[in-house]
Amino acid sequence: MDIGKPPLKTTVLKVDPLAPKPSVIAKAAHLIKSGEVVAFPTETVYGLGADATSDDAVRKIFEAKGRPTDNPLIVHISSIGELNKVAHSPSPRVVEFVSYYWPGPLTVIFKKAARISYVATAGLDTVAVRMPAHPVALALISAAERPIAAPSANLSGRPSPTSAQHVVEDLEGRIPLVLDAGETHYGVESTVIDISGERPVLLRPGPITTSDLSPLLGEFREPSQGHREKPLAPGMKYTHYAPKAPLTLVVGNPNGIVDKILALSKRSEGAKVGILCTDETYSRYPDEFVRISLGSRFAPYGMLRNLYRCLRMFDKIHVDEIYAEGFDEVGINATLMNRLKKAASRLLDSS
Ligand code: TXA
Ligand code: MG
């Protein structure tokens, strides 16, 4: 707790995801309009929102999360028509493109409009914009009558929250209100792309993959391999998503991975060992381990949805170390591996 700051009372209000009650939305919108922060559900993860046009309001987000101030936020809108209020003259080509994907889990970088707070963009002249698909998020932005800047509603460095309970675990006493609409759908943050240059650049993998986007946008340029004239998503330099115990991520073929984890964990005598496995491999680990299955290897979106909840479960059980199975980085599993690698303190090959 910050010295000199008494804890806030954090209210949690349940809200129907399909038909959010106007009175509940009005309460949350009133807080946003008065320059306060509110945690709300999106289809990806819960966000911590504030008025994107107010420096003071946006500063409260950084304070509540303990987020480094050089890491810019995503600005959320509730209709395509609002895009030209947050972005400076977006090109018709780009407006047409985002209309295919919005509302949805895709964030696009634009030149910033003057009214958007430089605190939200961390001093950049560009702004990351997204129109979420969740009815509660859309209703809140619309009732607040202004764009809402919102990062994930976790303490900086912790796994993003996929339920209101996760938000409360991290931010109770630090924010006034959480809108609780149950678990989020994708369970992982939006895809972030920059399409301002000749070739599109993937800044953060997410629910929408480059194979989904390439037919419309052309081949992506790998930010890590290409020229570095453009900054990467500044947030990607920080540790993220990390559970409290050190996590070793093992890659290779699935059987080899299990054998390697069994061999490694034999050396952990006396330690409480957590295994992040899959439905297909669960029974291959002895039951003295804390086994948590991500779901079936044949249902990758399901594994993605479960990932952050599983990482938080290991924290609750207080394991001493975690071994996680890796996946081939194809299709949506590239997004899963991106987050697993960020959670990992060590990466090993099973061969
Ligand atoms: O699904 C999501 O995107 C969630 C929900 C709440 O919408 N939000 C979210 O926000 O994940 P956050 O702040 O945790 O992640 C924002 C990412 C960071 O990696 C940040 O560096 C990048 O977007 N970003 C923001 N503004 C940028 C800019 N102007 N240029 C490049 N990257 C930017
Ligand atoms: Mg985040």
Side-chain angles (χ1 to χ4, degrees), residues 130-169:
R130 158 166 129 82
M131 175 179 167
H134 200 293
V136 173
L138 291 172
L140 175 62
I141 301 160
S142 166
E145 298 172 310
R146 64 207 67 200
I148 294 185
S152 47
N154 49 285
L155 276 179
S156 203
R158 299 268 296 137
S160 291
T162 60
S163 71
Q165 182 52 43
H166 296 163
V167 178
V168 171
E169 276 167 27

Side-chain angles (χ1 to χ4, degrees), residues 3 19 32 40 58-59 68 85 104 107 144 153 161 166 172 189-190 195 207 218 251 258 266 271 275 279 282 309 315:
I3 293 167
I32 298 280
F40 63 97
V58 172
R59 263 187 212 110
K85 293 188 192 153
T107 298
H166 296 163
E172 182 158 39
E189 308 85 348
S190 63
I195 50 177
V251 295
V258 175
K266 272 208 189 106
I275 311 274
D279 290 355
Y282 186 93
R309 186 169 38 80
D315 288 346

Side-chain angles (χ1 to χ4, degrees), residues 7-351:
L8 287 169
K9 180 177 167 5
T10 302
T11 303
V12 179
L13 290 179
K14 286 235 191 273
V15 54
D16 182 338
L18 295 179
K21 245 200 196 139
S23 60
V24 175
I25 296 299
K27 221 174 246 172
H30 176 73
L31 282 169
I32 298 280
K33 285 178 169 181
S34 345
E36 295 301 326
V37 296
V38 171
F40 63 97
T42 81
E43 74 279 24
T44 56
V45 299
Y46 275 74
L48 182 64
D51 180 351
T53 66
S54 158
D55 292 348
D56 288 342
V58 172
R59 263 187 212 110
K60 291 184 185 168
I61 297 177
F62 286 92
E63 272 168 33
K65 287 187 52 124
R67 180 176 174 112
T69 52
D70 63 349
N71 190 1
L73 311 178
I74 293 172
V75 172
H76 297 70
I77 55 176
S78 63
S79 73
I80 304 270
E82 289 159 37
L83 180 58
N84 58 21
K85 293 188 192 153
V86 299
H88 176 71
S89 37
S91 78
R93 178 187 76 91
V94 177
V95 175
E96 190 190 349
F97 165 75
V98 294
S99 311
Y100 285 119
Y101 279 98
W102 287 354
L106 182 71
T107 298
V108 180
I109 309 297
F110 293 90
K111 271 218 183 77
K112 144 189 185 317
R115 66 197 285 255
I116 298 300
S117 159
Y118 269 115
V119 180
T121 67
L124 296 174
D125 286 315
T126 53
V127 60
V129 184
R130 158 166 129 82
M131 175 179 167
H134 200 293
V136 173
L138 291 172
L140 175 62
I141 301 160
S142 166
E145 298 172 310
R146 64 207 67 200
I148 294 185
S152 47
N154 49 285
L155 276 179
S156 203
R158 299 268 296 137
S160 291
T162 60
S163 71
Q165 182 52 43
H166 296 163
V167 178
V168 171
E169 276 167 27
D170 280 15
L171 298 178
E172 182 158 39
R174 303 174 76 95
I175 61 173
L177 180 65
V178 184
L179 296 182
D180 177 359
E183 289 200 9
T184 60
H185 175 74
Y186 291 104
V188 71
E189 308 85 348
S190 63
T191 304
V192 183
I193 59 171
D194 184 347
I195 50 177
S196 62
E198 237 166 71
R199 284 176 65 187
V201 181
L202 178 68
L203 299 178
R204 180 175 72 185
I208 296 175
T209 65
T210 51
S211 353
D212 296 329
L213 296 169
S214 284
L216 281 170
L217 294 176
E219 279 300 297
F220 273 72
R221 176 163 71 73
E222 281 301 319
S224 48
Q225 291 161 14
H227 316 286
R228 284 295 185 92
E229 77 270 25
K230 287 221 187 276
L232 306 185
M236 300 312 267
K237 72 174 189 259
Y238 296 103
T239 39
H240 267 84
Y241 321 117
K244 287 171 184 158
L247 184 148
T248 301
L249 176 61
V250 183
V251 295
N253 76 65
N255 284 323
I257 291 172
V258 175
D259 293 338
K260 180 84 176 183
I261 292 178
L262 287 170
L264 286 167
S265 55
K266 272 208 189 106
R267 296 186 216 143
S268 314
E269 212 148 322
K272 198 166 176 181
V273 176
I275 311 274
L276 187 60
C277 57
T278 52
D279 290 355
E280 289 74 25
T281 55
Y282 186 93
S283 62
R284 294 206 43 204
Y285 300 100
D287 54 15
E288 66 256 29
F289 291 158
V290 177
R291 299 167 294 180
I292 297 181
S293 174
L294 267 183
S296 170
R297 284 179 166 262
F298 311 131
Y301 281 94
M303 295 196 291
L304 203 55
R305 179 185 306 176
N306 293 332
L307 177 65
Y308 291 149
R309 186 169 38 80
C310 291
L311 292 178
R312 281 177 181 263
M313 275 163 79
F314 284 122
D315 288 346
K316 283 210 185 104
I317 302 167
H318 298 292
V319 296
D320 299 307
E321 53 188 332
I322 303 166
Y323 293 94
E325 297 178 359
F327 303 87
D328 289 341
E329 295 182 46
V330 286
I332 192 63
N333 276 350
T335 300
L336 182 61
M337 279 300 282
N338 172 271
R339 303 307 196 269
L340 277 169
K341 282 179 176 171
K342 287 185 171 296
S345 47
R346 182 160 73 132
L347 179 67
L348 294 179
D349 200 300
S350 68
S351 56

